[in-house]
Amino acid sequence: MTENPHPLPPPPMTAADFAAALNLDESTIERFVLYLDLLKKWQKRINLVGASTLQDPWRRHFLDAAQLVKVIGPTSGPVYDIGSGAGFPGVVLAMLGIADVHLVESDQRKATFLREALRTTGATARIHAERIESIEGNGGGAAVITARACAPLATLLQITQKIWRSDTIGLFLKGRNVDAELTVTKECWNIDVERLQSLSDPDGVILRIRTHIAAHDT
């Protein structure tokens, strides 16, 4: 018997599945349920996420963001989430105990949603309702920079220069076009990059970048 070249997607993840995957207690899951309810309510007014992704939000959004917690581990400074949008991964990271999270979102409507998400979930993070290029390094830069569905990798490296320091780690959630993005990026940057398999998407990866140098500087 030949394998089906187009296997059926897994059934949608439930809140209980998400709790079990991360070993979360009931009170934490209740906060995530409030977050999801808020997301669905605001989605009717502004486009926060792809409409189809709300058919499986626990996997497509919450697990996708939460998987970065173990990758980040202990940090020695702020975590900047670029183009936070609906709060993935930044708000989720703050909900799960990552300290000193900064949510960078220049769209004022989305920034307003982020404020409401923090209020609703009780998570603590700082919101920067401006473009990342306007932030002047925060007195020492970022320990970790995250981004999801924000910009191509080469662009992310360019626009985050002011907050990148010698020990910064970039964690960028990418999909099936990652190879093309890496090809373009390596034309502009010499990068130390590691690919980690996504837990939420068989076609997804986490790019962990430790150092990058503009190609014309070498």
Side-chain angles (χ1 to χ4, degrees), residues 184-197:
V184 172
T185 300
K186 290 176 181 179
E187 294 175 354
C188 309
W189 301 93
N190 293 310
I191 57 175
D192 175 4
V193 59
E194 180 181 4
R195 298 168 61 133
L196 307 175
Q197 177 61 49

Side-chain angles (χ1 to χ4, degrees), residues 122-177:
T124 299
R126 179 177 174 183
I127 297 172
H128 301 265
E130 58 187 316
R131 295 180 65 84
I132 185 60
E133 298 94 325
S134 301
I135 296 174
E136 294 292 339
N138 192 41
V144 178
I145 300 172
T146 64
R148 186 185 85 149
C150 172
L153 179 59
T155 301
L156 284 171
L157 296 181
Q158 181 62 45
I159 65 178
T160 57
Q161 285 304 291
K162 289 183 179 180
I163 61 169
W164 202 285
R165 63 194 197 193
S166 62
D167 62 342
T168 298
I169 295 176
L171 297 174
F172 304 124
L173 293 154
K174 293 294 181 180
R176 62 184 61 185
N177 294 325

Side-chain angles (χ1 to χ4, degrees), residues 41-55:
K41 177 182 176 181
W42 278 65
Q43 180 72 15
K44 297 175 182 178
R45 290 186 277 167
I46 63 175
N47 184 36
L48 291 166
V49 296
S52 64
T53 64
L54 290 178
Q55 297 175 15

